[in-house]
Amino acid sequence: LLGLDVDPLELPKTEARMRRLGFDPAVFVARRSNFAGLPAALAAEGLAGADCLLADLGVSSMQLDMPDRGFSFKTQGPLDMRMNPNRGQPASAWLRALEPAALAALLVENGDEPHAGILAEALAGRTLEQTSDLARAVRSALAHLRTEEQEQSVRRVFQALRVAVNEELTALDILLRHLPQCLN
């Protein structure tokens, strides 16, 4: 059993849980990588391919429950959202660097956000350092909408940024392209 996880904070916890369940190193190997790294991980273990693949997409509750990771607007924390805090830029830097047109495209592509244009104009280029700052800015930009609609947009904006910051769709695309060669 070969387990891949890009999150350097969660990987050791997962490995420890698997060991407690009786999966010794000869049975279970944990590697820090995203989906795109599957071919390299298989090669490093001397495996020609996998018999089965389970890909867990998205963020985990463990990540959401840690305010300092910046994945959730429900608790105050830095606007980070990186699965691997040692790689790439936090979401706050992405927002500061993006032009409105690029942010609007990102909100549509990664979050199916119907108010992408309005939100992009309100958010692009801004300095928003905390999760609560971003949530408040989204609600403010959509003040003309009902509270339920505002909250849906807050969720979609957080999702869209997380997907972009972690290049999740790129990693998934690479996995899907390599999948035929990775399966026995």
Side-chain angles (χ1 to χ4, degrees):
L1 181 60
L2 175 62
L4 305 181
D5 196 332
V6 72
D7 189 332
L9 303 176
E10 291 302 321
L11 183 63
K13 295 176 189 175
T14 299
E15 187 170 15
R17 276 193 303 274
M18 295 298 282
R19 299 287 179 247
R20 283 192 303 271
L21 290 170
F23 291 88
D24 66 46
V27 176
F28 173 70
V29 174
R31 290 200 165 268
R32 192 173 80 182
S33 176
N34 66 19
F35 302 133
L38 179 61
L42 288 169
E45 294 303 318
L47 299 171
D51 293 328
C52 178
L53 175 85
L54 172 64
D56 185 3
L57 308 178
V59 68
S60 75
S61 61
M62 285 93 63
Q63 291 159 327
L64 290 172
D65 292 342
M66 296 177 71
D68 58 321
R69 299 295 301 271
F71 285 105
S72 175
F73 60 92
K74 295 181 180 180
T75 54
Q76 173 86 0
L79 188 57
D80 193 319
M81 298 187 187
R82 290 176 293 173
M83 300 279 184
N84 181 349
N86 303 317
R87 184 171 179 266
Q89 295 183 332
S92 58
W94 274 72
L95 279 175
R96 248 190 329 275
L98 284 173
E99 296 292 327
L103 180 56
L106 183 149
L107 293 174
V108 169
E109 176 71 22
N110 296 347
D112 294 325
E113 176 52 53
H115 309 290
I118 295 168
L119 291 169
E121 289 296 327
L123 302 174
R126 289 197 49 197
T127 299
L128 301 168
E129 297 296 333
Q130 299 291 311
T131 55
S132 58
D133 297 337
L134 177 57
R136 192 171 26 260
V138 170
R139 291 179 189 115
S140 176
L142 301 177
H144 63 284
L145 298 176
R146 293 186 344 258
T147 302
E148 300 83 37
E149 292 176 272
Q150 291 174 18
E151 293 308 305
Q152 287 287 0
S153 287
V154 170
R155 287 182 191 89
R156 288 189 292 258
V157 167
F158 269 72
Q159 173 186 303
L161 282 173
R162 186 204 78 232
V163 168
V165 165
N166 294 291
E167 300 175 327
E168 292 177 34
L169 295 179
T170 301
L172 183 58
D173 182 58
I174 292 169
L175 169 68
L176 293 174
R177 278 190 273 127
H178 290 297
L179 200 54
Q181 296 83 19
C182 291
L183 291 174
N184 290 330

